[in-house]
Amino acid sequence: EYDSNVITICNIRDPTTSIVLSKQYTDTVGSRWRLNVYPKGNNTNQRYLSTYVELCDGIAGRYQYTVELLHDDVTRQVKFQSEDHFRVGEIRGYQKFIRVRRLLEEGYLNQEGSILIRLSIRPANLALRCQYQEEYQTLKEEKLRTQFNTQLNQNLMRIKSLRDDNASLQALVYPEYASNIFVVRNFSALREAQEDICSDNAYDDVGCCWRLIVYANGDKEGRDEWLSVYLRLLEGIPGSYEYCVELLHNDAAKTVKMEGTQSFDIQERFGWTRFARLDWICANGFVSEEQDALYFRFSLRPPNYKAKCEYHHLLRLEARRECELLKRELIPAYSTMTYTLRNFSEMQRKDSFIYSDPLVDDLGFSWRLLIYANGHNEARDNHLSVYLILFEGVSASRFEYRVELLHPQNPTANIKMEGVNVFKLKKIWGWPQFMDHERLQEEGYLDRTTDTLEFRLSMCPPDIKLKCEYQQEFIRKLKENQK
């Protein structure tokens, strides 16, 4: 749903007023917005009132917004609706919102000389709304971490006098463990599929990001006999940490526990190929019969309070460096290309695949879609499979991508697959189960009159610096080929 707010804009008749800024209001995601109104327009053309929406603070991203000039007669209300990508401090809107003459003569002004405008805003889709809420939660956590750091610094000042008397005091004070629960669901299915499963990102109170990795049917020499468990430091400060990994049981006396101290590097994992025997786990009630699940608790902390303070300091320095880099980076615009797949029904009957025409982005890189009308591998006979291939360009280049299946009548129903990936030349990347055939037919994505599907491909490097590097490298390769 839209987050709506009715705003009163005053001083419309005041000849000295060039811009009126509304009060800021906060949407349910947590971002703060306001309306910028130019009673005489924001350029030399003073015949129109201009309105712009501004993201004052919060989460940058793609939003849909509606600006309505209210009137006692509902049929006379002026309404504009659009969708744009907002960055903090940027404005989006309408230079020619309404003629000033019409505004003054047709009853839009109330007795005080003000107007009412309803501003409605929402993320472009539900997935983005969830993403923005998660990002806002991360910002809140950062503020809490800042408060913690402030309290930490105060505590350091208090113990400074004690450290003069006993230099080893900080090395003897142990911080609390940061603990997380990880539930391995569908344990039996994971064993049969011989798959591993990772926990969600878990942050300790220092700010480091960890994951627990569980091999349900064992890893390497422990396969088929042992449960294998590993800890991995995804992001943060490499160094020495105390750990405790527990396989929980209703009877606390049966809980399996591994603990100790280990030096971790970024992306390095540490653990136990033989954590616990699988037959013993199943025989002793560790697997929940109702949910077919195992329950783990993993806990981490620096080995002492002094190390925790050092890790905090290093993490603050790293965050400061990253902040400076982000300030220098700009997000380039997407390069968008379209492709029409013809004779879909015939391709589906023949069980064949097709390459799209070369789709060239604004860097000059050539992309192609590889499409299986009747599905590929495990998706055969029931899904449309779509893959993306970099045919010509710079190998191992990082791109943000969006592959869309367009709906002929309803653009809001477009099917989007998007993300960030490192693409190597002529290596496929995509979705065997892009869309099932039944939905494709019933919801109107297939144009029956022309027997076609319409695809749209959008690509861009994550930042302008990478885009320039890829462009230079691509030009260099073209020159070498010409020689």
Side-chain angles (χ1 to χ4, degrees), residues 169-186:
L169 178 62
Q170 285 186 323
L172 299 175
V173 178
Y174 286 91
E176 294 291 329
Y177 273 111
S179 298
N180 296 272
I181 298 295
F182 175 41
V183 182
V184 178
R185 306 186 187 279
N186 302 318

mmCIF file with all atom_site columns, all heavy atoms in Angstrom, residues 169-186:
data_model
loop_
_atom_site.group_PDB
_atom_site.id
_atom_site.type_symbol
_atom_site.label_atom_id
_atom_site.label_alt_id
_atom_site.label_comp_id
_atom_site.label_asym_id
_atom_site.label_entity_id
_atom_site.label_seq_id
_atom_site.pdbx_PDB_ins_code
_atom_site.Cartn_x
_atom_site.Cartn_y
_atom_site.Cartn_z
_atom_site.occupancy
_atom_site.B_iso_or_equiv
_atom_site.pdbx_formal_charge
_atom_site.auth_seq_id
_atom_site.auth_comp_id
_atom_site.auth_asym_id
_atom_site.auth_atom_id
_atom_site.pdbx_PDB_model_num
ATOM 1   N N   . LEU A 1 169 ? 45.262 -6.002  33.096 1.00 0.00 ? 169 LEU A N   1
ATOM 2   C CA  . LEU A 1 169 ? 43.855 -6.133  33.485 1.00 0.00 ? 169 LEU A CA  1
ATOM 3   C C   . LEU A 1 169 ? 42.961 -6.379  32.273 1.00 0.00 ? 169 LEU A C   1
ATOM 4   O O   . LEU A 1 169 ? 42.103 -7.274  32.292 1.00 0.00 ? 169 LEU A O   1
ATOM 5   C CB  . LEU A 1 169 ? 43.406 -4.870  34.224 1.00 0.00 ? 169 LEU A CB  1
ATOM 6   C CG  . LEU A 1 169 ? 41.931 -4.842  34.645 1.00 0.00 ? 169 LEU A CG  1
ATOM 7   C CD1 . LEU A 1 169 ? 41.637 -5.969  35.615 1.00 0.00 ? 169 LEU A CD1 1
ATOM 8   C CD2 . LEU A 1 169 ? 41.563 -3.492  35.251 1.00 0.00 ? 169 LEU A CD2 1
ATOM 9   N N   . GLN A 1 170 ? 43.165 -5.603  31.196 1.00 0.00 ? 170 GLN A N   1
ATOM 10  C CA  . GLN A 1 170 ? 42.303 -5.768  30.030 1.00 0.00 ? 170 GLN A CA  1
ATOM 11  C C   . GLN A 1 170 ? 42.421 -7.165  29.419 1.00 0.00 ? 170 GLN A C   1
ATOM 12  O O   . GLN A 1 170 ? 41.453 -7.686  28.857 1.00 0.00 ? 170 GLN A O   1
ATOM 13  C CB  . GLN A 1 170 ? 42.655 -4.723  28.966 1.00 0.00 ? 170 GLN A CB  1
ATOM 14  C CG  . GLN A 1 170 ? 42.138 -3.328  29.330 1.00 0.00 ? 170 GLN A CG  1
ATOM 15  C CD  . GLN A 1 170 ? 42.360 -2.347  28.192 1.00 0.00 ? 170 GLN A CD  1
ATOM 16  O OE1 . GLN A 1 170 ? 43.381 -2.428  27.503 1.00 0.00 ? 170 GLN A OE1 1
ATOM 17  N NE2 . GLN A 1 170 ? 41.435 -1.445  28.010 1.00 0.00 ? 170 GLN A NE2 1
ATOM 18  N N   . ALA A 1 171 ? 43.634 -7.752  29.520 1.00 0.00 ? 171 ALA A N   1
ATOM 19  C CA  . ALA A 1 171 ? 43.827 -9.075  28.955 1.00 0.00 ? 171 ALA A CA  1
ATOM 20  C C   . ALA A 1 171 ? 43.139 -10.162 29.768 1.00 0.00 ? 171 ALA A C   1
ATOM 21  O O   . ALA A 1 171 ? 42.990 -11.289 29.309 1.00 0.00 ? 171 ALA A O   1
ATOM 22  C CB  . ALA A 1 171 ? 45.317 -9.387  28.852 1.00 0.00 ? 171 ALA A CB  1
ATOM 23  N N   . LEU A 1 172 ? 42.714 -9.830  30.999 1.00 0.00 ? 172 LEU A N   1
ATOM 24  C CA  . LEU A 1 172 ? 42.090 -10.828 31.864 1.00 0.00 ? 172 LEU A CA  1
ATOM 25  C C   . LEU A 1 172 ? 40.561 -10.703 31.906 1.00 0.00 ? 172 LEU A C   1
ATOM 26  O O   . LEU A 1 172 ? 39.886 -11.585 32.422 1.00 0.00 ? 172 LEU A O   1
ATOM 27  C CB  . LEU A 1 172 ? 42.642 -10.697 33.290 1.00 0.00 ? 172 LEU A CB  1
ATOM 28  C CG  . LEU A 1 172 ? 44.149 -10.919 33.450 1.00 0.00 ? 172 LEU A CG  1
ATOM 29  C CD1 . LEU A 1 172 ? 44.565 -10.646 34.880 1.00 0.00 ? 172 LEU A CD1 1
ATOM 30  C CD2 . LEU A 1 172 ? 44.536 -12.322 33.026 1.00 0.00 ? 172 LEU A CD2 1
ATOM 31  N N   . VAL A 1 173 ? 40.017 -9.601  31.380 1.00 0.00 ? 173 VAL A N   1
ATOM 32  C CA  . VAL A 1 173 ? 38.571 -9.395  31.415 1.00 0.00 ? 173 VAL A CA  1
ATOM 33  C C   . VAL A 1 173 ? 37.961 -10.009 30.165 1.00 0.00 ? 173 VAL A C   1
ATOM 34  O O   . VAL A 1 173 ? 38.332 -9.649  29.056 1.00 0.00 ? 173 VAL A O   1
ATOM 35  C CB  . VAL A 1 173 ? 38.249 -7.894  31.498 1.00 0.00 ? 173 VAL A CB  1
ATOM 36  C CG1 . VAL A 1 173 ? 36.746 -7.668  31.480 1.00 0.00 ? 173 VAL A CG1 1
ATOM 37  C CG2 . VAL A 1 173 ? 38.853 -7.300  32.761 1.00 0.00 ? 173 VAL A CG2 1
ATOM 38  N N   . TYR A 1 174 ? 37.025 -10.924 30.339 1.00 0.00 ? 174 TYR A N   1
ATOM 39  C CA  . TYR A 1 174 ? 36.432 -11.638 29.220 1.00 0.00 ? 174 TYR A CA  1
ATOM 40  C C   . TYR A 1 174 ? 35.101 -11.002 28.831 1.00 0.00 ? 174 TYR A C   1
ATOM 41  O O   . TYR A 1 174 ? 34.226 -10.816 29.682 1.00 0.00 ? 174 TYR A O   1
ATOM 42  C CB  . TYR A 1 174 ? 36.205 -13.107 29.569 1.00 0.00 ? 174 TYR A CB  1
ATOM 43  C CG  . TYR A 1 174 ? 37.487 -13.909 29.606 1.00 0.00 ? 174 TYR A CG  1
ATOM 44  C CD1 . TYR A 1 174 ? 38.195 -14.039 30.787 1.00 0.00 ? 174 TYR A CD1 1
ATOM 45  C CD2 . TYR A 1 174 ? 37.981 -14.511 28.466 1.00 0.00 ? 174 TYR A CD2 1
ATOM 46  C CE1 . TYR A 1 174 ? 39.382 -14.758 30.831 1.00 0.00 ? 174 TYR A CE1 1
ATOM 47  C CE2 . TYR A 1 174 ? 39.163 -15.226 28.491 1.00 0.00 ? 174 TYR A CE2 1
ATOM 48  C CZ  . TYR A 1 174 ? 39.866 -15.349 29.681 1.00 0.00 ? 174 TYR A CZ  1
ATOM 49  O OH  . TYR A 1 174 ? 41.027 -16.047 29.714 1.00 0.00 ? 174 TYR A OH  1
ATOM 50  N N   . PRO A 1 175 ? 34.902 -10.677 27.545 1.00 0.00 ? 175 PRO A N   1
ATOM 51  C CA  . PRO A 1 175 ? 33.598 -10.164 27.104 1.00 0.00 ? 175 PRO A CA  1
ATOM 52  C C   . PRO A 1 175 ? 32.565 -11.284 27.038 1.00 0.00 ? 175 PRO A C   1
ATOM 53  O O   . PRO A 1 175 ? 32.900 -12.472 27.097 1.00 0.00 ? 175 PRO A O   1
ATOM 54  C CB  . PRO A 1 175 ? 33.896 -9.617  25.707 1.00 0.00 ? 175 PRO A CB  1
ATOM 55  C CG  . PRO A 1 175 ? 35.073 -10.415 25.227 1.00 0.00 ? 175 PRO A CG  1
ATOM 56  C CD  . PRO A 1 175 ? 35.882 -10.739 26.452 1.00 0.00 ? 175 PRO A CD  1
ATOM 57  N N   . GLU A 1 176 ? 31.291 -10.896 26.899 1.00 0.00 ? 176 GLU A N   1
ATOM 58  C CA  . GLU A 1 176 ? 30.212 -11.877 26.789 1.00 0.00 ? 176 GLU A CA  1
ATOM 59  C C   . GLU A 1 176 ? 30.213 -12.508 25.389 1.00 0.00 ? 176 GLU A C   1
ATOM 60  O O   . GLU A 1 176 ? 30.632 -11.895 24.406 1.00 0.00 ? 176 GLU A O   1
ATOM 61  C CB  . GLU A 1 176 ? 28.859 -11.209 27.050 1.00 0.00 ? 176 GLU A CB  1
ATOM 62  C CG  . GLU A 1 176 ? 28.675 -10.707 28.462 1.00 0.00 ? 176 GLU A CG  1
ATOM 63  C CD  . GLU A 1 176 ? 28.566 -11.849 29.456 1.00 0.00 ? 176 GLU A CD  1
ATOM 64  O OE1 . GLU A 1 176 ? 28.062 -12.923 29.078 1.00 0.00 ? 176 GLU A OE1 1
ATOM 65  O OE2 . GLU A 1 176 ? 28.999 -11.639 30.607 1.00 0.00 ? 176 GLU A OE2 1
ATOM 66  N N   . TYR A 1 177 ? 29.714 -13.749 25.315 1.00 0.00 ? 177 TYR A N   1
ATOM 67  C CA  . TYR A 1 177 ? 29.522 -14.395 24.017 1.00 0.00 ? 177 TYR A CA  1
ATOM 68  C C   . TYR A 1 177 ? 28.363 -13.736 23.265 1.00 0.00 ? 177 TYR A C   1
ATOM 69  O O   . TYR A 1 177 ? 27.369 -13.313 23.868 1.00 0.00 ? 177 TYR A O   1
ATOM 70  C CB  . TYR A 1 177 ? 29.177 -15.873 24.187 1.00 0.00 ? 177 TYR A CB  1
ATOM 71  C CG  . TYR A 1 177 ? 30.379 -16.786 24.295 1.00 0.00 ? 177 TYR A CG  1
ATOM 72  C CD1 . TYR A 1 177 ? 30.681 -17.419 25.501 1.00 0.00 ? 177 TYR A CD1 1
ATOM 73  C CD2 . TYR A 1 177 ? 31.196 -17.036 23.195 1.00 0.00 ? 177 TYR A CD2 1
ATOM 74  C CE1 . TYR A 1 177 ? 31.778 -18.271 25.610 1.00 0.00 ? 177 TYR A CE1 1
ATOM 75  C CE2 . TYR A 1 177 ? 32.286 -17.886 23.296 1.00 0.00 ? 177 TYR A CE2 1
ATOM 76  C CZ  . TYR A 1 177 ? 32.570 -18.498 24.504 1.00 0.00 ? 177 TYR A CZ  1
ATOM 77  O OH  . TYR A 1 177 ? 33.649 -19.328 24.596 1.00 0.00 ? 177 TYR A OH  1
ATOM 78  N N   . ALA A 1 178 ? 28.475 -13.648 21.938 1.00 0.00 ? 178 ALA A N   1
ATOM 79  C CA  . ALA A 1 178 ? 27.351 -13.297 21.058 1.00 0.00 ? 178 ALA A CA  1
ATOM 80  C C   . ALA A 1 178 ? 26.841 -14.596 20.446 1.00 0.00 ? 178 ALA A C   1
ATOM 81  O O   . ALA A 1 178 ? 27.569 -15.274 19.717 1.00 0.00 ? 178 ALA A O   1
ATOM 82  C CB  . ALA A 1 178 ? 27.802 -12.332 19.969 1.00 0.00 ? 178 ALA A CB  1
ATOM 83  N N   . SER A 1 179 ? 25.599 -14.972 20.763 1.00 0.00 ? 179 SER A N   1
ATOM 84  C CA  . SER A 1 179 ? 25.059 -16.281 20.385 1.00 0.00 ? 179 SER A CA  1
ATOM 85  C C   . SER A 1 179 ? 23.959 -16.154 19.332 1.00 0.00 ? 179 SER A C   1
ATOM 86  O O   . SER A 1 179 ? 23.226 -15.162 19.296 1.00 0.00 ? 179 SER A O   1
ATOM 87  C CB  . SER A 1 179 ? 24.503 -17.003 21.610 1.00 0.00 ? 179 SER A CB  1
ATOM 88  O OG  . SER A 1 179 ? 25.534 -17.250 22.552 1.00 0.00 ? 179 SER A OG  1
ATOM 89  N N   . ASN A 1 180 ? 23.856 -17.196 18.494 1.00 0.00 ? 180 ASN A N   1
ATOM 90  C CA  . ASN A 1 180 ? 22.826 -17.263 17.456 1.00 0.00 ? 180 ASN A CA  1
ATOM 91  C C   . ASN A 1 180 ? 22.305 -18.690 17.357 1.00 0.00 ? 180 ASN A C   1
ATOM 92  O O   . ASN A 1 180 ? 23.063 -19.654 17.510 1.00 0.00 ? 180 ASN A O   1
ATOM 93  C CB  . ASN A 1 180 ? 23.389 -16.846 16.094 1.00 0.00 ? 180 ASN A CB  1
ATOM 94  C CG  . ASN A 1 180 ? 23.832 -15.406 16.064 1.00 0.00 ? 180 ASN A CG  1
ATOM 95  O OD1 . ASN A 1 180 ? 23.049 -14.521 15.773 1.00 0.00 ? 180 ASN A OD1 1
ATOM 96  N ND2 . ASN A 1 180 ? 25.105 -15.172 16.379 1.00 0.00 ? 180 ASN A ND2 1
ATOM 97  N N   . ILE A 1 181 ? 21.001 -18.809 17.085 1.00 0.00 ? 181 ILE A N   1
ATOM 98  C CA  . ILE A 1 181 ? 20.367 -20.110 16.880 1.00 0.00 ? 181 ILE A CA  1
ATOM 99  C C   . ILE A 1 181 ? 20.192 -20.338 15.383 1.00 0.00 ? 181 ILE A C   1
ATOM 100 O O   . ILE A 1 181 ? 19.755 -19.452 14.655 1.00 0.00 ? 181 ILE A O   1
ATOM 101 C CB  . ILE A 1 181 ? 18.987 -20.179 17.582 1.00 0.00 ? 181 ILE A CB  1
ATOM 102 C CG1 . ILE A 1 181 ? 19.151 -20.002 19.092 1.00 0.00 ? 181 ILE A CG1 1
ATOM 103 C CG2 . ILE A 1 181 ? 18.299 -21.509 17.269 1.00 0.00 ? 181 ILE A CG2 1
ATOM 104 C CD1 . ILE A 1 181 ? 19.914 -21.113 19.773 1.00 0.00 ? 181 ILE A CD1 1
ATOM 105 N N   . PHE A 1 182 ? 20.558 -21.546 14.926 1.00 0.00 ? 182 PHE A N   1
ATOM 106 C CA  . PHE A 1 182 ? 20.394 -21.914 13.517 1.00 0.00 ? 182 PHE A CA  1
ATOM 107 C C   . PHE A 1 182 ? 19.622 -23.226 13.460 1.00 0.00 ? 182 PHE A C   1
ATOM 108 O O   . PHE A 1 182 ? 20.033 -24.231 14.060 1.00 0.00 ? 182 PHE A O   1
ATOM 109 C CB  . PHE A 1 182 ? 21.764 -22.069 12.861 1.00 0.00 ? 182 PHE A CB  1
ATOM 110 C CG  . PHE A 1 182 ? 21.709 -22.560 11.445 1.00 0.00 ? 182 PHE A CG  1
ATOM 111 C CD1 . PHE A 1 182 ? 20.748 -22.080 10.572 1.00 0.00 ? 182 PHE A CD1 1
ATOM 112 C CD2 . PHE A 1 182 ? 22.607 -23.502 10.968 1.00 0.00 ? 182 PHE A CD2 1
ATOM 113 C CE1 . PHE A 1 182 ? 20.694 -22.519 9.258  1.00 0.00 ? 182 PHE A CE1 1
ATOM 114 C CE2 . PHE A 1 182 ? 22.565 -23.950 9.664  1.00 0.00 ? 182 PHE A CE2 1
ATOM 115 C CZ  . PHE A 1 182 ? 21.611 -23.456 8.817  1.00 0.00 ? 182 PHE A CZ  1
ATOM 116 N N   . VAL A 1 183 ? 18.492 -23.215 12.730 1.00 0.00 ? 183 VAL A N   1
ATOM 117 C CA  . VAL A 1 183 ? 17.641 -24.397 12.586 1.00 0.00 ? 183 VAL A CA  1
ATOM 118 C C   . VAL A 1 183 ? 17.849 -24.987 11.194 1.00 0.00 ? 183 VAL A C   1
ATOM 119 O O   . VAL A 1 183 ? 17.618 -24.320 10.182 1.00 0.00 ? 183 VAL A O   1
ATOM 120 C CB  . VAL A 1 183 ? 16.149 -24.038 12.790 1.00 0.00 ? 183 VAL A CB  1
ATOM 121 C CG1 . VAL A 1 183 ? 15.289 -25.307 12.692 1.00 0.00 ? 183 VAL A CG1 1
ATOM 122 C CG2 . VAL A 1 183 ? 15.948 -23.351 14.136 1.00 0.00 ? 183 VAL A CG2 1
ATOM 123 N N   . VAL A 1 184 ? 18.298 -26.241 11.135 1.00 0.00 ? 184 VAL A N   1
ATOM 124 C CA  . VAL A 1 184 ? 18.475 -26.952 9.869  1.00 0.00 ? 184 VAL A CA  1
ATOM 125 C C   . VAL A 1 184 ? 17.176 -27.718 9.610  1.00 0.00 ? 184 VAL A C   1
ATOM 126 O O   . VAL A 1 184 ? 16.919 -28.767 10.202 1.00 0.00 ? 184 VAL A O   1
ATOM 127 C CB  . VAL A 1 184 ? 19.670 -27.911 9.924  1.00 0.00 ? 184 VAL A CB  1
ATOM 128 C CG1 . VAL A 1 184 ? 19.792 -28.675 8.616  1.00 0.00 ? 184 VAL A CG1 1
ATOM 129 C CG2 . VAL A 1 184 ? 20.949 -27.148 10.213 1.00 0.00 ? 184 VAL A CG2 1
ATOM 130 N N   . ARG A 1 185 ? 16.334 -27.189 8.712  1.00 0.00 ? 185 ARG A N   1
ATOM 131 C CA  . ARG A 1 185 ? 15.040 -27.806 8.409  1.00 0.00 ? 185 ARG A CA  1
ATOM 132 C C   . ARG A 1 185 ? 15.188 -28.802 7.265  1.00 0.00 ? 185 ARG A C   1
ATOM 133 O O   . ARG A 1 185 ? 16.144 -28.759 6.498  1.00 0.00 ? 185 ARG A O   1
ATOM 134 C CB  . ARG A 1 185 ? 14.011 -26.728 8.068  1.00 0.00 ? 185 ARG A CB  1
ATOM 135 C CG  . ARG A 1 185 ? 13.890 -25.656 9.164  1.00 0.00 ? 185 ARG A CG  1
ATOM 136 C CD  . ARG A 1 185 ? 12.758 -24.678 8.894  1.00 0.00 ? 185 ARG A CD  1
ATOM 137 N NE  . ARG A 1 185 ? 12.766 -23.589 9.860  1.00 0.00 ? 185 ARG A NE  1
ATOM 138 C CZ  . ARG A 1 185 ? 12.270 -23.653 11.070 1.00 0.00 ? 185 ARG A CZ  1
ATOM 139 N NH1 . ARG A 1 185 ? 11.694 -24.786 11.480 1.00 0.00 ? 185 ARG A NH1 1
ATOM 140 N NH2 . ARG A 1 185 ? 12.316 -22.615 11.896 1.00 0.00 ? 185 ARG A NH2 1
ATOM 141 N N   . ASN A 1 186 ? 14.186 -29.692 7.138  1.00 0.00 ? 186 ASN A N   1
ATOM 142 C CA  . ASN A 1 186 ? 14.183 -30.730 6.091  1.00 0.00 ? 186 ASN A CA  1
ATOM 143 C C   . ASN A 1 186 ? 15.495 -31.515 6.101  1.00 0.00 ? 186 ASN A C   1
ATOM 144 O O   . ASN A 1 186 ? 16.146 -31.722 5.072  1.00 0.00 ? 186 ASN A O   1
ATOM 145 C CB  . ASN A 1 186 ? 13.956 -30.097 4.711  1.00 0.00 ? 186 ASN A CB  1
ATOM 146 C CG  . ASN A 1 186 ? 12.659 -29.331 4.633  1.00 0.00 ? 186 ASN A CG  1
ATOM 147 O OD1 . ASN A 1 186 ? 11.623 -29.791 5.133  1.00 0.00 ? 186 ASN A OD1 1
ATOM 148 N ND2 . ASN A 1 186 ? 12.696 -28.161 4.022  1.00 0.00 ? 186 ASN A ND2 1
#
